[in-house]
Amino acid sequence: MDSREDDGGEPLSRMAEWRDVTPLPQDDGPNPVVPIAYKEEFRETMDYFRAIYKADERSPRALRLTRRAIHLNPGNYTVWHFRRLVLEALNADLDEELDFLQRIANSNSKNYQLWHHRRWVVERLGANARAKELNLIKKILSIDAKNYHAWSHRQWVLQALGGWEDELDYCQQLLEEDIFNNSAWNQRYFVVTRSPYLGGLKAMRASEVRYTVEAILANPNNECPWRYLQGLYKDDIKALVNDPEISSVCLKVINTKNNYVFALKMLLDLLCHGFQPCHEFRDSVVALRTSDTDPLGPDLSMAICDILEHVDSLRASYWIWRKNKLSVAAV
Amino acid sequence: MATREWNPLDFDIGEEEDEEGTPSPSSISPPLQYFDRDRHVAFLEMMYNLMPHHYQSQEINRLTLAFFTISGLHLLRALDRVDKDRVADWVLSFQAHPRSRAELKIGQFYGFHGSRTSQFPPDENGVSARNAGHLASTYCALAILKTVGFNLLTIDKESILISLRNLQQPDGSFMPVDVGAETDLRFVYCAAAICFMLEDWSGMDREKAKEYILKCQSYDGGFGLMPGLESHGGGTYCAVASLRLMGYIEDDLLSKTVTSSIINVPLLLDWCMQRQAIDGGFQGRANKPSDTCYAFWIGAVLRILGGYKFIDKIALHRFLLTCQSEFGGFSKYPRDLPDIYHAYYGYTAFSLLEEPGLNPLCAELGMTDLTAIGII
């Protein structure tokens, strides 16, 4: 965004409109620590801001001044707060305010104050603003699909104003674009567990498991669907262990002898929670043994830790520790 | 240079955006093969004396910038480069004071101002007019004061603690300023660190804060910044460090034989372990690139849990060196330009790695372990 979009960026001291205002310089004290080498435009704008803020002048020119100050200093919560006071005093058009915010977001959407301010505006506009909000967020996510601020705002809009009907489809679309996008997986979980239209996690579990298993088989080295799968059984680990779909996807991936680290991890978790494997599981795991692994012991969980120690060597110490915990538990 | 905020807890959830006038990364030499302490001291000394103009958009976080600089020098065992009395006086000049005790109950927060934007010379009664204390600035102010050896028990902690309660929300989370702002785990952490440093928990309802934190643990074991949000290294740090400071979890949980805890520790540990990426660095979220600062955010969580020993330290060391700048400091990504935020978290990361010549780190406070070096 360009501060010049309104007033040509002319120094305030040369503008007739500001002639009656005496700028209030920053008093940094006698021995400032980490002083900042402000540029002249910054210094001047903030000096005028201080004067207007101290005088509590809630006027159209004060609104324009906050725009300048926000451009230079977007994290300054005092400026944003004062802008809200002025907007209220002037009974300003809040749709215009949304447009202003969108222009800032286009150049820098990673700013907490911006999103808080937007939320303040939307709260005042109510449900009418819903479609515009959801679309705006879509636009931002189409540029950066993992923008944390945008996701946070989206979850707030859904909870405060609704709009859940299309959200699962939207997650689906984002995952089709990038199945490795964990933000989209997280949003899927948010929708499945919280949407008033879907009946909750238990009602959705079977179809979600099918979807996730497919995603796993397409990319077994993608952490997200494995985590999601476990999430579908949050607080119900027994059901996870007893669902044949889960053990079976582990086995399928292990049998490909490729990208099987997450499958082994999941199988290990199942075993730790009481899963009783048939011979096929043991045979498949044994078949993964490479020349540098020691002969595998009789315990399947320990054998898995042994293999992970070698194939996931970045975490070798972790797998050794997990293995030791198994033997402690066995005693 | 980034235009985002640099609260210590802003975890850098954005990409950097270059402004005019910064040299292009392609002009930067290959990384050094060792931690160049002297260069880092020079980098921080420069910041201490004058920060370049592109930090002006961080002006609202002056105390945070000062915290990175002074606490950074302390980690590098170079605190002799600063005038401690001058620093303490300067920090204390940001404290907001109420006109009367009664004012503490009317909703305002009397902590430390983030900057001079809304701080005006006191009026004829010696009282500053507009108050704009901020939780992150207050945390940074107290941390700096502790670092320079100032006795925190001599400040007006009553004002901070009584008015701190005004910022806690019904759901247990905290707002950072009394004029309204987003509430999330970052400010629960600030509140917990403030109470911990002031050795007085009257400033917050710990039970409520705990309930909020527990709601933020995601299905994958990590913590999002708010309930429902994606697991994130910074959010996870705030959650675990707060629980530790508040006394809800023990230090070195993993070595304890008792396995029950108020959070799902095995899943959390597994999530943290998975954040070390193939290049040796730590990512803040699944399938995101490694970034210097998460070597601290995730590393500190692992340290608190007792799982730091499981990571591949050699690989992490190698990654961090690719982010070390020839100008001193660290960058977010390899072979990029340094900034004070990533510099600081680079130093904390090297302290966790027990780099010789660095002070040990107090993981849950994100600063030098003053007890370990015998200051308190």
Side-chain angles (χ1 to χ4, degrees), chain B residues 65 82 144 154 245 252 333 343:
Chain B
L65 298 172
V82 309
I144 297 169
T154 64
L245 290 169
D252 198 9
Y333 298 132

Side-chain angles (χ1 to χ4, degrees), chain A residues 107 148 183 223 265 318, chain B residues 5 17 51 230 270 275:
Chain A
S107 66
Y148 209 81
S183 304
E223 179 185 353
K265 276 176 56 129
Y318 174 59
Chain B
E5 296 166 82
E17 287 160 62
M51 304 200 80
E230 182 185 5
D270 193 78
R275 301 284 63 77

Side-chain angles (χ1 to χ4, degrees), chain B residues 117 133 195 257 304 341:
Chain B
T117 304
C195 292
T257 41
I304 293 168
Y341 171 97

Side-chain angles (χ1 to χ4, degrees), chain A residues 32-35 37 39 50 76 107-108 112 146 148 155 180 182-183 186 222-223 265 315 318, chain B residues 3 5 10 17 48-49 51 53 56 62 86 117 130 225 228 230 270 273-276 285 287:
Chain A
V33 175
V34 292
K39 282 189 163 180
R50 262 184 292 275
N76 191 313
S107 66
N108 174 21
Y112 289 92
K146 299 177 182 177
Y148 209 81
Q155 293 194 347
F180 290 86
N182 193 53
S183 304
N186 183 75
N222 183 4
E223 179 185 353
K265 276 176 56 129
R315 280 165 277 275
Y318 174 59
Chain B
T3 45
E5 296 166 82
D10 275 344
E17 287 160 62
Y48 178 70
N49 290 314
M51 304 200 80
H53 72 84
Q56 69 186 14
R62 273 293 282 291
R86 172 184 150 188
T117 304
R130 296 172 178 280
L225 275 178
E230 182 185 5
D270 193 78
M273 288 306 304
Q274 205 60 44
R275 301 284 63 77
Q276 188 166 24
R285 294 184 259 165
N287 295 335

Side-chain angles (χ1 to χ4, degrees), chain A residues 35-250:
Chain A
I36 300 169
Y38 302 120
K39 282 189 163 180
E40 188 46 40
E41 185 190 15
F42 184 97
R43 183 187 303 280
E44 188 195 47
T45 304
M46 293 313 290
D47 289 354
Y48 275 88
F49 173 78
R50 262 184 292 275
I52 291 295
Y53 180 68
K54 195 173 187 204
D56 200 14
E57 180 189 311
R58 304 182 191 186
S59 64
R61 73 173 179 183
L63 195 64
R64 286 194 293 280
L65 183 63
T66 58
R67 178 180 285 226
R68 243 189 214 236
I70 283 166
H71 163 63
L72 295 166
N73 206 349
N76 191 313
Y77 50 87
T78 304
V79 177
W80 284 103
H81 167 63
F82 184 61
R83 184 172 174 89
R84 287 191 282 276
L85 295 178
V86 177
L87 285 169
E88 272 181 338
L90 301 179
N91 200 14
D93 180 346
L94 292 180
D95 281 305
E96 258 176 44
E97 186 67 1
L98 286 186
D99 295 340
F100 160 66
L101 292 173
Q102 181 158 358
R103 286 200 297 281
I104 303 180
N106 287 343
S107 66
N108 174 21
S109 59
K110 309 282 174 68
N111 169 296
Y112 289 92
Q113 277 68 35
L114 167 75
W115 290 98
H116 174 70
H117 188 81
R118 190 161 185 105
R119 181 163 154 176
W120 180 87
V121 174
V122 172
E123 271 171 349
R124 267 141 201 85
L125 291 171
N128 297 333
R130 182 173 87 193
K132 193 172 185 172
E133 281 315 280
L134 292 174
N135 278 328
L136 166 90
I137 300 165
K138 270 189 192 175
K139 254 186 219 162
I140 289 177
L141 292 174
S142 71
I143 300 161
D144 172 9
K146 299 177 182 177
N147 185 320
Y148 209 81
H149 297 279
W151 281 114
S152 174
H153 189 61
R154 191 167 187 91
Q155 293 194 347
W156 174 77
V157 171
L158 289 169
Q159 286 173 314
L161 307 176
W164 293 94
E165 297 85 343
D166 307 323
E167 197 63 8
L168 194 60
D169 289 342
Y170 179 54
C171 295
Q172 185 93 6
Q173 178 205 323
L174 286 181
L175 288 173
E176 273 166 28
E177 286 164 19
D178 177 12
I179 197 72
F180 290 86
N181 179 356
N182 193 53
S183 304
W185 281 101
N186 183 75
Q187 184 72 355
R188 191 176 180 105
Y189 194 81
F190 180 77
V191 177
V192 164
T193 51
R194 300 188 193 214
S195 165
Y197 299 104
L198 298 176
L201 183 57
K202 270 200 168 160
M204 292 294 288
R205 193 180 274 158
S207 58
E208 285 303 286
V209 168
R210 268 197 305 282
Y211 174 81
T212 310
V213 164
E214 248 177 69
I216 286 174
L217 292 173
N219 289 287
N221 59 337
N222 183 4
E223 179 185 353
C224 311
W226 290 102
R227 298 274 184 205
Y228 187 80
L229 197 56
Q230 215 155 10
L232 293 173
Y233 292 90
K234 193 168 180 278
D235 304 323
D236 196 0
I237 199 94
K238 260 203 158 139
L240 175 81
V241 172
N242 292 330
D243 186 341
E245 293 252 23
I246 311 295
S247 47
S248 132
V249 69
C250 294

